[in-house]
Amino acid sequence: MQSPQETLADLTLAEKASLCLGSDFWHTAAVERLGVPRIRVADGPHGLRVQPDEADHVGLGGSLPATCFPTASALGSTWDVHLVEEVGAAIGVEARNQDVAVVLGPGVNIKRSPLCGRNFEYFSEDPHLSGRLGAALVHGIQSQGVGTSVKHYAANNQETDRLRVSADVDERTLREIYLPAFEHIVTTQQPWTVMCSYNRVNGVHASQHHWLLTEVLRDEWGFEGLVMSDWGAVSDRVAAVRAGLDLEMPPNLGISDAALVRAVESGELDEKDLDACVRRVLELVERSDGRRAAELDVDAHHTLARRAAADGIVLLENDDGVLPLTAGHVCVVGEFARTPRYQGAGSSQVNPTRLENALDELRAARPDQEVTFAAGFGLDDQSRDAELADEAVAAAADAEVVLAFLGLPSTAESEGFDRTHMELPRAQTALLERLLAGSVPVVVVLANGAAVLVTGWRERAAAIVECWLGGQASGGAVVDVLTGAVNPSGRLTETIPLRLQDNSAYLNFPGEDGHVRYGEGVFVGYRGYDAAELDVAYPFGHGLSYTTFEYSDLTVSTSGSHDAGDLAVTVAVTVRNTGAVAGAEVVQVYVSDPESSAARPPRELKGFAKVLLAPGESTSVELTLGSRDLATWSTRHHGWLVEGGEFVVAVGSSSRDLRLDATVQVDATPPRVDLDAMSTLEEWLADPDGRAAVLTAVGVDPAGRPRGIVGNEKLLSVIGNFPLATLAAFTGLGITPDVVEALTSGQVGSTTAQGTSQPATSRSPSEKSSDSIG
Ligand code: BGC
């Protein structure tokens, strides 16, 4: 194959247009005459979904067997970037084995509301964590010479009306919550592709969003790969090319290509814009060329899937050490123990290479102990629920421990629709109540893609084990945790609230009339619960272990400086395993800016590390933060802003189990603001040069006080927040039209008061971008 540049020069207009569309559901277009092959893409993200025959993007048709790894909700709960990378590499191997050039994932959208039907496919409510986990998966997959498609860019946080709804979200919130995971992955991994989302962002289709696809993604973050559409996300192909969308999937054959040809011929579309898209398609094809098919070790991948699933299990509660199991006779209740719920429904659905269930695995792991079973409820057929519950209650009465396998049936959550509540199905909670009323301790084992409420019963459960949707080996993985073969080390990547109503998105989800207003702003997930000081069932970052950890010797030191752009805040802490068994702790670092002039969440995750420690062993964990970790997005200065002063760095085992903290002083030159007639008098006076100019302009009275309002504190406190232009309309304040004219034309004071100095922000390259975000 010749180089993309050479090929581009040889292509006809029609061929160029054809390359900007797929050739079918899962392939790009070939140009045989020039030796350009087609390449295959496939879902993603937690295993492959290669469809040999009929094609669809909603999980209806069959696909070739592939290892079903834990979904993002489970994999993310490992908080283990090395493990995530390992899983990524395994997916990469499977992709090569099935001739897949690009895996359609990972999904790094933020879990804005627990109700989003696709939360199982996303990592977290926190952008830092989502970015790090997503980057690890991308790194792993791409290490095998296979591309990724980081999705769904951007602000795709619900399924309701997902093809049309406009996520109405302010720029600060986008910058701080919804974009950073994409930004981190793009700037650190250069994913081969990014997939735009279905929805609109502030009224503009993501597929046609020039600010998102070109100004931010390419100009600011330096993305060099290809942007493809989500399946069916393009509404105006010509506008999409102009915005920077390279590849339309699946192809609207005969329509989109014809539209592109017509647009170039009529001059409506500059051929250079089309060429830019074609070149990126050719580059992607070139990159994918020459990959060797890989040998697949199905057993090894299954073992990895089991390890990953076990490490993603979160032990929420464990009263009196009921776990790991020591009891002899165990009664297993719940159809999920026999018929596991292990992955979500929709485009990510994998046809697993094998499937474990917890009941068989438990019996295999404890051959000498009695394990009885009662289904307790039906999954597809609910007509026998009452009878099944009676049987389960009777069976449970004879046991030493009840293991109740509960969760969400696949009909309760899926791609394509959102939940309307967070409860477990009624038949299950009714059964649980009856089990809890007995005298046998009940361990609740949960399988669900998004958080479910545990309010009302969690205090009475002897233990709660949250497995999420752990993939094909989740049955064995949970048995490993229950028996203690694996010491649980998963941590919550999303808060489990006491009530759905406590979630900050509650009043603005899922919107109406084609719009969803992100009214909670940056107060998403724990940022919202913390700011509102709400009790939660289990906080972000929570997860128990069969051992205990002690934190000591926190030091936080700084080097470099924010103004020089090389600030490094080094956080070091010693962690010791104080229990009797080996275990892994997730050390979490949260930053607070108590003196911020902007409304900021009480704390934000800015670093984490997972460490494995033998009993009695201790280790020092060191993490480095930079300016960006202290910054907030300033809409006014259009950049990242660090306000000098004190920051609190807290270290702990969850967002609400902070063991140690330290205060650190960070110096940062305050940003300069452009001062003009619409700037308030307070703003003029807050700026050193502006203040000098105002004082000169108004002059002093015989007593030596500044004339008019400037010398009158009371008046200043009441109308000092009026713009100069407004004050000039009032008489007697000393701010006359002449004074305003003198100040704004630079006749008094220094030129810096006219806004010629730069804001001292921790600038992203966003300076270039326009103020408009659609
Ligand atoms: C989903 C994507 C998926 C694509 C292809 C769409 O419906 O939103 O996540 O990659 O289909 O199956």
Side-chain angles (χ1 to χ4, degrees), residues 537-771:
Y538 298 106
F540 175 81
H542 170 78
L544 302 175
S545 165
Y546 295 150
T547 187
T548 46
F549 300 95
E550 186 185 84
Y551 287 62
S552 63
D553 305 324
L554 173 69
T555 60
V556 181
S557 53
T558 61
S559 67
S561 83
H562 167 70
D563 286 353
D566 62 353
L567 176 71
V569 179
T570 305
V571 184
V573 67
T574 301
V575 185
R576 197 168 111 83
N577 180 346
T578 46
V581 290
E585 170 70 331
V586 178
V587 178
Q588 301 164 38
V589 176
Y590 294 86
V591 171
S592 317
D593 182 2
E595 295 168 348
S596 174
S597 63
R600 293 189 72 171
R603 66 192 59 84
E604 298 180 69
L605 181 79
K606 295 297 174 185
F608 62 94
K610 191 164 189 174
V611 286
L612 179 64
L613 295 170
E617 191 188 356
S618 66
T619 191
S620 174
V621 174
E622 196 176 291
L623 292 157
T624 304
L625 315 180
S627 274
R628 173 69 185 270
D629 296 313
L630 312 178
T632 180
W633 178 266
S634 165
T635 305
R636 177 175 205 186
H637 301 299
H638 208 78
W640 293 101
L641 172 66
V642 171
E643 289 182 320
E646 291 186 341
F647 290 83
V648 178
V649 177
V651 175
S653 195
S654 90
S655 61
R656 293 200 177 178
D657 183 9
L658 300 167
R659 308 286 180 84
L660 299 167
D661 63 55
T663 300
V664 60
Q665 171 75 31
V666 172
D667 296 327
T669 305
R672 307 299 299 267
V673 287
D674 288 348
L675 294 172
D676 58 23
M678 283 313 288
S679 304
T680 66
L681 180 55
E682 279 171 357
E683 287 167 348
W684 276 85
L685 294 175
D687 181 278
D689 295 321
R691 182 180 188 82
V694 170
L695 291 176
T696 307
V698 298
V700 290
D701 66 14
R705 275 184 322 189
R707 280 186 213 281
I709 182 173
V710 181
N712 184 332
E713 264 178 42
K714 201 159 176 209
L715 254 185
L716 255 184
S717 69
V718 179
I719 54 172
N721 59 1
F722 278 27
L724 284 195
T726 312
L727 292 176
F730 297 97
T731 51
L733 297 179
I735 308 292
T736 62
D738 287 348
V739 165
V740 175
E741 171 62 22
L743 285 170
T744 54
S745 63
Q747 290 165 32
V748 283
S750 72
T751 50
T752 53
Q754 307 308 312
T756 52
S757 66
Q758 290 298 308
T761 54
S762 166
R763 299 225 131 192
S764 70
S766 61
E767 303 276 291
K768 279 184 264 152
S769 73
S770 77
D771 279 328

Side-chain angles (χ1 to χ4, degrees), residues 46-180:
H46 59 271
L48 293 183
R49 184 165 165 271
V50 173
Q51 296 192 294
D53 307 317
E54 76 285 23
D56 71 272
H57 60 300
V58 284
L60 298 176
S63 58
L64 298 176
T67 309
C68 180
F69 288 98
T71 62
S73 59
L75 189 59
S77 299
T78 65
W79 291 58
D80 185 340
V81 288
H82 302 294
L83 181 58
V84 173
E85 193 179 320
E86 219 181 310
V87 168
I91 294 172
V93 167
E94 297 203 13
R96 281 170 52 195
N97 184 266
Q98 297 196 11
D99 193 27
V100 170
V102 177
V103 177
L104 303 177
V108 295
N109 295 104
I110 295 294
K111 302 186 199 220
R112 174 178 175 242
S113 161
L115 300 180
C116 173
R118 257 183 127 167
N119 275 358
F120 70 90
E121 262 189 84
Y122 303 142
F123 288 116
S124 177
E125 67 189 20
D126 179 81
H128 179 92
L129 185 57
S130 302
R132 271 44 186 192
L133 295 167
L137 199 73
V138 167
H139 192 75
I141 295 174
Q142 296 199 164
S143 72
Q144 299 307 307
V146 172
T148 53
S149 198
V150 184
K151 66 190 187 184
H152 309 88
Y153 184 67
N156 182 181
N157 310 98
Q158 66 185 54
E159 294 298 282
T160 306
D161 202 15
R162 66 173 162 154
L163 271 94
R164 300 181 308 182
V165 73
S166 171
D168 294 341
V169 48
D170 64 87
E171 182 170 9
R172 177 180 168 205
T173 302
L174 276 174
R175 296 282 189 173
E176 292 189 22
I177 304 291
Y178 297 101
L179 298 186

Side-chain angles (χ1 to χ4, degrees), residues 26 43 57 118 151-152 162 195 198 230-231 347 415:
W26 302 119
D43 284 307
H57 60 300
R118 257 183 127 167
K151 66 190 187 184
H152 309 88
R162 66 173 162 154
M195 185 191 292
Y198 281 131
D230 198 346
W231 267 231
S347 62
E415 176 177 345

